[in-house]
Amino acid sequence: MDDRIAQMERKQEWKLCWFLVKNRLIAQLGINTFRYEKDKRKRNNKIVTAVAILVCLFMAAGYCSALAYGYAYVGLWALIPGIAVVASSLLTLLFTMFKTNGELFGFSDYDLVMSLPIPIRTIINSRLLNMYLWNTFFTLLVMVPMGIVYALFAKPPVAFYLLWFSGLFLVCLIPTILAAIIGAGITAISSKLRHTSAIATILMIVTVVVIVVLPLTFTQGNMGPGQLFDSETGNLNEEVFSALAPQISDVIYRLYPPARLFSEAVTGGKWLSFLLFAGASIVLYGSFAALLSVKYRRMNTALTSRRSRADYRLETLQQGSMRVALYKKTILRILKSSITATNLLVGCVMAVLLSIALLVVGPEKLAEGIQIPNAIFYFKNAAGYVIAAMVVMTNTAAVSLALEGKNIWLIKSLPIPPKTLYDSYLMTNLTFTIPTSLICSVLFSISLKAGVVGTVITILTPLTFSLFTAVIGIFIGNRMAYYDWQDETQFVKQSFMSMLGMLRGMFLVVICGFIALSGIFPVSANLITFIINILLLVFAAALYVHESSRPIR
Amino acid sequence: MLTIHNFSKTYKGGKKAVDNLSLHVERGDIYGFIGHNGAGKSTTIKAVVGVLDYEEGQILIDGHDVKTEPLACKRITAYIPDSPDLYEHLTGIQYLNFISDIFDIPSQAREERIKKNADAFEITRDLGDLISSYSHGMKQKLAIISALIHKPRLLVLDEPFVGLDPKASVTLRNKMREICASGSSIFFSTHVLEVAEKLCNKVAMIHQGKLAFAGTIEALLREKEGGSLEGLFMEIVNHENEGAREDG
């Protein structure tokens, strides 16, 4: 009898869990916007976003299959399962870590959900299940094309297909939970301190740096892919080739031990390895959910409650200009939210890290690894573009207006001239990108011993692109801004505006870089880069004048 | 001070929220704007303060057209919405300083005004805390203090008494009387008819987007002998509903 009651309760809990997951998916996918939204602009925005996301996903799947094909083509197909697991796990880890705060903790409807008669473990399960569904989707994008390439080359037995298919739904479990543990750790630490968001942001960035840098330490001393081919004849270097496969496998398995179990299972048909892999994944997931339910409420309360000192004494208040007031407000808006800070500033952080890495490792070592003749010459010409490509990912100007969200009534009801508002958004964007561009270009110039002209071009290029993309950001922001978003994480990560702000700049840098460096014009790369800079500055100035008089959307 | 002339607003999908509304708020008026939920009060108010765009009619503030001279109108107006969504990442004093900078209020003047009003609403000690830690009532008080910083000539309030404790309500009523005595005007929406009856010298009633009554409280009470604002409101609503049933 007790068993039956327990079974019914479990069934009821899963039903509730599914309701919560369904509700969350409806919000994330914007299903109701497609079905019920009468405003055509909003519907079209959603459709364009969906199409853009799908294109990106197909490109990612295409990249994965090309990568797998590359390995299979040189006979290293045995590495594909291990690489597939590591790639999808790393992707899951990084993406999930960024959204743990906002998805698992401190989510917008926390108060509502917690007030309903739903057990805490069901709420946790629903949030984890939602993360799992998305991560499985990304895993499929990585592992299905790689699995097809592997099957085509290795012609494995039937057991492979069974194990690979089952693995698709298990691979993301460990990284999801690891990311959630890291996120929970960061949340637990930051929630105890006064500047919760700032501490969370710093810890998150440090963790990402560690995760990105850690694999590099494993590969130190190993042979680069350039050594696979004889630099003189262009033929496959058989000696290197035979030694390379076990070395790469070793790196992969040291980097992520569960990959060994999965790889052994699918390539060698070892069911025990697969059971161990599946068991470890499921046990980790279950244990985490159970442990978290003990402290979940306390962690969320600490995260969402604010310290109230109630001891303020009015002191002298400094008068400032309207432009500076708006600038300070916007910069605080971005920095005080760990979600906006980590997502919007990631490009600048990456640029600084790369510059430091180049200074430490040295361009010669990098050139040795990739085995391209005259590599340092190319590095020197491309330096400005490489920095620009990362710096322009920080495009706060594109989302600043939409970030006003429910506060937009204030901006619209105050006597703020549009130009002053746009200037404040530009200043905010440039506060992040200009110092980063300067620091990185100086570090690059020192590392590459760029010479006077090279240094000037390396400094000028990212500065120009920063300015240009910030003005374009204002252009986009004032045409596409919408304010009725509910979920900051979703807005910053998945909105078309946010993606367009990030990717458009990178795309432009790649095109300009190609024009300058491909040699299609019979003049020096520095001269073409200089002309591109001038053209972009003129265009940015003209666009700025044009946009300044446009009313706030 | 505020003239609304033949104002209409139709939302996407064809719903007419406000239909041909006209009213006039003079200097020194405390003008109550009364209506049921969804009557069109907030739509009208948002159009007056420049938050909502509109196509039909004209709205003038001190002779400036809201559509063609929005900045001139906003410089002399203050608005407090029904739900005060303020910048939660700022502290109370940072927010007030931000608003002061927007209106270019000199340092000394802003200090005096903030101190006076924050003391009156008993929120001075909380100004150093983040707005995200404030209760709804505290946010409402902060929004009121920020609205008074530049001594507006027209104060537009959407349901200003919601969320305020009794003492803060009395403080706000006194403040409203003080503002109007100095020659400024107040246009505010409310559901609390008793407050409107005691506080306002003029009222307008809106029902299903259309103006049902506009005039002084005295004229209203003269017209409805022994009646009250509540009585008139119920009469209008019931009459309209019966009309709608007969049409149906």
Side-chain angles (χ1 to χ4, degrees):
Chain A
M1 190 65 179
D2 285 351
D3 282 353
R4 268 188 61 193
I5 292 169
Q7 202 179 350
M8 275 172 68
E9 277 176 359
R10 269 200 300 276
K11 208 173 162 186
Q12 179 64 15
E13 277 184 30
W14 278 112
K15 207 167 129 186
L16 288 170
C17 181
W18 172 240
F19 286 156
L20 292 175
V21 172
K22 195 170 77 174
N23 184 40
R24 185 80 191 112
L25 286 175
I26 287 171
Q28 286 172 320
L29 296 169
I31 291 169
N32 283 345
T33 310
F34 286 115
R35 290 177 67 185
Y36 305 115
E37 182 59 60
K38 286 178 184 149
D39 187 340
K40 275 188 181 171
R41 190 175 58 83
K42 280 185 189 168
R43 279 190 66 178
N44 291 344
N45 255 347
K46 208 78 194 171
I47 292 167
V48 172
T49 309
V51 171
I53 291 172
L54 280 176
V55 169
C56 288
L57 294 177
F58 273 112
M59 281 167 68
Y63 175 77
C64 290
S65 48
L67 182 75
Y69 183 80
Y71 276 95
Y73 185 74
V74 293
L76 297 175
W77 59 73
L79 295 175
I80 292 174
I83 291 170
V85 172
V86 171
S88 56
S89 300
L90 205 60
L91 198 72
T92 302
L93 189 69
L94 289 173
F95 272 83
T96 312
M97 238 174 56
F98 273 112
K99 60 181 182 186
T100 305
N101 187 7
E103 192 64 48
L104 190 59
F105 304 103
F107 46 92
S108 54
D109 53 348
Y110 173 78
D111 289 355
L112 173 72
V113 173
M114 288 297 277
S115 70
L116 298 171
I118 304 173
I120 289 181
R121 63 173 176 273
T122 309
I123 296 171
I124 295 171
N125 276 330
S126 75
R127 306 306 290 195
L128 287 174
L129 187 58
N130 178 271
M131 284 154 88
Y132 165 78
L133 288 175
W134 281 105
N135 290 338
T136 300
F137 177 66
F138 292 124
T139 304
L140 291 174
L141 281 173
V142 175
M143 290 190 60
V144 168
M146 292 184 102
I148 291 171
V149 172
Y150 176 81
L152 286 173
F153 279 84
K155 300 192 173 48
V158 180
F160 162 83
Y161 297 96
L162 278 172
L163 292 168
W164 191 270
F165 182 77
S166 313
L168 292 176
F169 301 96
L170 291 169
V171 161
C172 75
L173 276 176
I174 294 176
T176 300
I177 298 306
L178 285 180
I181 290 171
I182 294 169
I186 290 173
T187 305
I189 295 165
S190 58
S191 64
K192 284 191 171 63
L193 302 168
R194 185 155 179 253
H195 300 288
T196 306
S197 297
I199 303 287
T201 305
I202 292 166
L203 288 176
M204 193 62 84
I205 289 173
V206 169
T207 314
V208 171
V209 170
V210 170
I211 290 171
V212 173
V213 171
L214 198 66
L216 298 177
T217 62
F218 280 87
T219 55
Q220 287 289 317
N222 284 313
M223 282 167 273
Q227 286 170 276
L228 200 60
F229 297 92
D230 191 305
S231 56
E232 283 175 17
T233 61
N235 295 331
L236 195 69
N237 191 334
E238 283 179 23
E239 197 183 325
V240 174
F241 175 75
S242 56
L244 196 60
Q247 276 193 27
I248 297 177
S249 301
D250 189 49
V251 170
I252 292 168
Y253 300 151
R254 271 199 292 157
L255 186 68
Y256 188 56
R260 181 191 291 273
L261 290 175
F262 183 76
S263 196
E264 278 175 2
V266 294
T267 55
K270 291 183 181 170
W271 285 90
L272 185 64
S273 298
F274 184 81
L275 287 175
L276 277 172
F277 176 75
S281 302
I282 293 164
V283 167
L284 188 67
Y285 182 95
S287 314
F288 177 74
L291 279 173
L292 190 62
S293 61
V294 180
K295 293 268 184 187
Y296 191 63
R297 197 198 305 256
R298 189 178 296 175
M299 284 173 75
N300 270 293
T301 307
L303 193 71
T304 49
S305 39
R306 300 278 180 269
R307 280 162 191 259
S308 179
R309 286 180 296 173
D311 59 355
Y312 182 75
R313 284 182 159 198
L314 200 60
E315 291 162 2
T316 307
L317 299 172
Q318 297 295 322
Q319 189 181 351
S321 74
M322 187 192 288
R323 191 174 277 103
V324 173
L326 288 163
Y327 163 72
K328 284 199 285 196
K329 174 208 68 88
T330 311
I331 223 156
L332 281 175
R333 170 70 184 84
I334 290 166
L335 291 180
K336 283 210 169 180
S337 156
S338 58
I339 297 164
T340 51
T342 46
N343 284 283
L344 295 175
L345 307 185
V346 69
C348 283
V349 174
M350 279 167 61
V352 173
L353 287 175
L354 184 71
S355 310
I356 294 170
L358 187 68
L359 193 69
V360 174
V361 176
E364 292 81 11
K365 199 161 186 184
L366 194 66
E368 268 174 38
I370 59 170
Q371 294 272 306
I372 296 173
N374 226 355
I376 293 189
F377 172 77
Y378 286 113
F379 287 170
K380 283 182 182 175
N381 285 332
Y385 292 105
V386 172
I387 300 163
M390 279 177 274
V391 169
V392 296
M393 281 171 72
T394 296
N395 196 210
T396 60
V399 292
S400 289
L401 187 59
L403 268 180
E404 297 286 345
K406 61 186 180 179
N407 301 126
I408 192 63
W409 68 270
L410 203 53
I411 292 296
K412 287 192 172 180
S413 66
L414 289 173
I416 301 170
K419 183 178 179 299
T420 312
L421 185 71
Y422 304 149
D423 284 352
S424 72
Y425 292 160
L426 279 177
M427 283 159 63
T428 304
N429 200 149
L430 297 177
T431 300
F432 299 121
T433 54
I434 296 288
T436 310
S437 299
L438 284 172
I439 292 166
C440 295
S441 43
V442 168
L443 291 178
F444 261 71
S445 300
I446 294 169
S447 309
L448 295 166
K449 298 179 185 72
V452 179
V453 177
T455 302
V456 170
I457 292 289
T458 306
I459 292 173
L460 183 66
T461 306
L463 288 179
T464 303
F465 276 97
S466 299
L467 197 67
F468 180 78
T469 48
V471 177
I472 292 274
I474 297 293
F475 177 87
I476 294 173
N478 203 21
R479 278 163 181 76
M480 301 185 70
Y482 63 99
Y483 311 106
D484 52 354
W485 48 268
Q486 300 292 321
D487 185 338
E488 193 181 49
T489 314
Q490 208 181 339
F491 170 74
V492 174
K493 277 180 174 297
Q494 291 164 8
S495 73
F496 183 58
M497 277 179 64
S498 183
M499 281 201 299
L500 195 65
M502 274 181 126
L503 300 176
R504 160 199 43 76
M506 282 180 79
F507 187 65
L508 181 77
V509 174
V510 170
I511 289 176
C512 292
F514 178 77
I515 291 170
L517 305 173
S518 62
I520 50 175
F521 292 107
V523 280
S524 78
N526 278 345
L527 182 63
I528 300 172
T529 302
F530 183 73
I531 293 167
I532 287 172
N533 277 304
I534 298 297
L535 289 175
L536 289 179
L537 286 172
V538 169
F539 189 76
L543 191 64
Y544 171 74
V545 172
H546 178 262
E547 285 302 295
S548 295
S549 57
R550 191 182 168 86
I552 300 161
R553 183 188 174 102
Chain B
M1 175 51 72
L2 169 67
T3 304
I4 301 175
H5 186 65
N6 294 338
F7 166 68
S8 296
K9 175 71 193 172
T10 308
Y11 283 110
K12 278 174 184 163
K15 194 201 166 198
K16 202 152 199 171
V18 182
D19 189 3
N20 209 28
L21 179 83
S22 295
L23 53 85
H24 183 65
V25 180
E26 287 178 86
R27 265 176 225 284
D29 276 350
I30 302 185
Y31 203 116
F33 195 36
I34 298 160
H36 56 88
N37 292 331
K41 302 189 297 294
S42 292
T43 300
T44 307
I45 281 178
K46 282 179 183 169
V48 168
V49 298
V51 172
L52 192 73
D53 202 15
Y54 61 94
E55 295 76 34
E56 287 177 63
Q58 192 180 35
I59 300 173
L60 301 173
I61 297 176
D62 205 18
H64 301 287
D65 193 318
V66 168
K67 229 174 162 49
T68 55
E69 301 168 273
L71 291 184
C73 293
K74 288 173 187 179
R75 280 193 193 105
I76 54 171
T77 310
Y79 165 55
I80 303 170
D82 51 348
S83 171
D85 289 316
L86 309 175
Y87 291 124
E88 303 216 334
H89 59 280
L90 299 181
T91 63
I93 193 67
Q94 281 175 334
Y95 177 75
L96 294 175
N97 224 11
F98 166 73
I99 299 290
S100 303
D101 282 342
I102 298 293
F103 285 101
D104 199 23
I105 311 293
S107 208
Q108 205 183 340
R110 71 176 70 178
E111 277 167 40
E112 283 168 14
R113 289 173 201 172
I114 290 171
K115 181 158 179 35
K116 184 181 159 199
N117 292 318
D119 284 350
F121 283 102
E122 298 179 337
I123 198 179
T124 312
R125 287 165 63 84
D126 302 300
L127 290 180
D129 294 329
L130 279 173
I131 295 174
S132 53
S133 70
Y134 284 16
S135 66
H136 180 86
M138 285 163 80
K139 285 181 192 169
Q140 189 77 352
K141 287 177 184 177
L142 190 70
I144 293 166
I145 296 165
S146 71
L148 300 177
I149 264 180
H150 66 291
K151 292 195 167 173
R153 277 188 267 166
L154 175 67
L155 188 57
V156 182
L157 313 164
D158 198 353
E159 300 289 352
F161 297 100
V162 173
L164 290 182
D165 56 59
K167 196 176 175 199
S169 287
V170 172
T171 308
L172 178 59
R173 271 185 295 202
N174 291 338
K175 197 59 77 181
M176 287 165 80
R177 288 193 187 103
E178 196 184 301
I179 289 165
C180 291
S182 69
S184 295
S185 314
I186 294 174
F187 180 60
F188 77 104
S189 71
T190 184
H191 282 123
V192 190
L193 300 179
E194 278 179 7
V195 170
E197 198 169 326
K198 282 181 189 162
L199 189 62
C200 303
N201 62 324
K202 287 178 188 165
V203 289
M205 279 190 192
I206 184 171
H207 183 67
Q208 291 176 350
K210 289 180 180 166
L211 189 69
F213 173 86
T216 62
I217 291 280
E218 287 88 357
L220 165 78
L221 297 179
R222 259 202 316 274
E223 200 176 298
K224 301 278 160 193
E225 207 176 320
S228 64
L229 205 54
E230 194 175 75
L232 177 69
F233 180 75
M234 292 310 291
E235 193 179 297
I236 288 168
V237 172
N238 289 337
H239 177 73
E240 291 280 341
N241 287 347
E242 277 165 20
R245 272 198 294 272
E246 279 166 21
D247 291 343

